Amino acid sequence: MKDVYLFSGFLGSGKTSMLVNVLRQLKEEGLKPAVIMNELGEIPFDSQAVDEDVPLKEILDGCICCTGGEKTEAQIQTLLYEADFDVLIIETTGAAHPVEALDAVYSPLFADQLNIKGIVTVADSRRWLGRDQLSPQARSLFLEQIRHAHLILANKSDLLTEEEKARVVFELQGLNPNAFILQTTHGRVPLASLKSLQATKGDKEIQPAQIGRHLHLNSRVIEFNRSFTQEEFEEWVRELPATVYRMKGFVPIEGMQYPMLFQYAYGLVQWIPEYMKMPPKIVMIGENVQSVPVIGEENRL
């Protein structure tokens, strides 16, 4: 039997950081991990965090819990046939309802080969405290991801005061009294906490999030044909509507030989220098992002 974990969490919560940390711990214990990663965009940015020696399957530009269910089943079948692994980690998009996503991996074709350990939801603690600023649909999904978790990571706790930390734990426990709650930074979770999980199919009532029709969450690839200053680019970012949840990609910056890795999540911006030529484009994820004005659009970027 191969253990399976489903990593859930709203966009920008820290799922990929948790994934990298857990993969390292599994290897240190001599276990062989495999990963299925679901991304809304057409470019697999998050998959670059997975080492080449880890079997990886990607589901791009889709949703693991909707039409992507069949794709997920096919990817699991392929891994079981082709790869030698002990533990399977499925990282969903921030738009995935965790229980629907978990149901996507309960297939009679390989049920006797997989041991579903549970749903691990990463919650951005600061975003939790400001959840009333989200749209009703996004807030509903955020709450569902927490309500159905077997283990909750109250992540980015280093950004909070002690009083705020206590408030987050108290409120999360009120929403999901059955889950164990860990306060974390950078998604660091002890492997022992994962091993202690054991999910039971159908243990909670599923409330479909109807993501495709009601949340209006989608992605957009934006390509650039000129460079910007960091100040110019960040000024554009500050003017974005609150419905833009995350951006990730490579931005050409004046004075830099190669485009810089740029990440944005709920108002937080991160720049990381790159040392090789990367495609000058970013993926924007949010609600109705196709209507968001793009920097330099007057120059046809």
Side-chain angles (χ1 to χ4, degrees):
M1 295 283 286
K2 301 179 188 298
D3 288 343
V4 180
Y5 298 94
L6 191 144
F7 288 178
S8 172
F10 211 60
L11 295 162
S13 60
K15 291 193 305 297
T16 301
S17 295
M18 176 174 66
L19 173 64
V20 172
N21 179 264
V22 170
L23 290 176
R24 176 185 57 78
Q25 293 183 73
L26 288 169
K27 290 181 180 180
E28 289 175 352
E29 291 204 2
L31 297 171
K32 299 177 182 177
V35 176
I36 291 179
M37 187 172 287
N38 181 216
E39 300 195 55
L40 280 174
E42 299 174 354
I43 303 174
F45 285 118
D46 284 344
S47 64
Q48 297 175 9
V50 180
D51 292 340
E52 292 182 359
D53 62 337
V54 175
L56 170 69
K57 297 294 181 183
E58 297 165 301
I59 303 172
L60 299 179
D61 203 21
C63 182
I64 201 169
C65 58
C66 302
T67 57
E70 293 182 359
K71 294 180 181 178
T72 304
E73 187 174 307
Q75 298 287 37
I76 293 175
Q77 282 185 283
T78 302
L79 280 174
L80 289 170
Y81 179 76
E82 295 179 348
D84 177 22
F85 65 94
D86 305 304
V87 179
L88 174 60
I89 297 174
I90 301 175
E91 181 186 334
T92 69
T93 71
H97 188 293
V99 181
E100 294 172 353
L102 188 59
D103 276 354
V105 305
Y106 278 109
S107 169
L109 297 176
F110 40 71
D112 60 339
Q113 301 179 59
L114 301 179
N115 177 33
I116 311 297
K117 295 287 285 183
I119 298 169
V120 182
T121 293
V122 188
D124 181 331
S125 296
R126 193 168 72 168
R127 177 53 49 186
W128 170 260
L129 293 175
R131 61 191 180 279
D132 289 342
Q133 300 173 15
L134 297 171
S135 70
Q137 296 88 353
R139 184 169 62 250
S140 175
L141 176 61
F142 191 19
L143 296 177
E144 284 292 282
Q145 290 175 339
I146 292 168
R147 191 171 77 87
H148 291 286
H150 301 92
L151 172 65
I152 300 171
L153 269 60
N155 200 32
K156 305 183 182 180
S157 61
D158 55 319
L159 303 177
L160 305 182
T161 65
E162 292 302 317
E163 181 180 347
E164 288 172 330
K165 291 178 185 179
R167 177 184 163 192
V168 168
V169 172
F170 178 77
E171 292 177 349
L172 291 177
Q173 285 178 333
L175 181 62
N176 186 345
N178 299 314
F180 188 73
I181 300 173
L182 284 176
Q183 290 189 317
T184 59
T185 59
H186 306 293
R188 290 192 289 264
V189 54
L191 190 57
S193 297
L194 300 183
K195 288 183 175 182
S196 65
L197 296 176
Q198 183 58 62
T200 303
K201 189 178 189 303
D203 59 349
K204 295 183 181 179
E205 179 185 357
I206 300 174
Q207 296 182 1
Q210 301 293 339
I211 295 164
R213 291 190 292 275
H214 297 303
L215 191 57
H216 305 299
L217 193 69
N218 50 27
S219 63
R220 176 181 182 183
V221 177
I222 301 171
E223 300 188 30
F224 305 112
N225 60 11
R226 75 168 176 87
S227 299
F228 308 91
T229 65
Q230 282 186 242
E231 293 76 13
E232 180 184 8
F233 198 83
E234 290 186 17
E235 181 179 355
W236 169 68
V237 171
R238 285 193 293 271
E239 295 175 353
L240 292 173
T243 51
V244 175
Y245 300 137
R246 189 177 181 190
M247 292 187 291
K248 181 185 290 187
F250 303 96
V251 179
I253 295 297
E254 292 180 5
M256 301 295 292
Q257 183 178 2
Y258 303 115
M260 294 184 70
L261 173 61
F262 170 80
Q263 299 189 70
Y264 166 87
Y266 308 110
L268 297 178
V269 169
Q270 182 181 32
W271 295 95
I272 302 175
E274 281 290 335
Y275 300 98
M276 63 180 66
K277 181 67 174 179
M278 303 300 289
K281 60 180 66 174
I282 61 173
V283 174
M284 176 185 290
I285 300 175
E287 297 180 44
N288 302 313
V289 297
Q290 299 301 329
S291 62
V292 174
V294 175
I295 181 173
E297 256 186 349
E298 68 279 4
N299 295 327
R300 299 182 184 178
L301 288 189

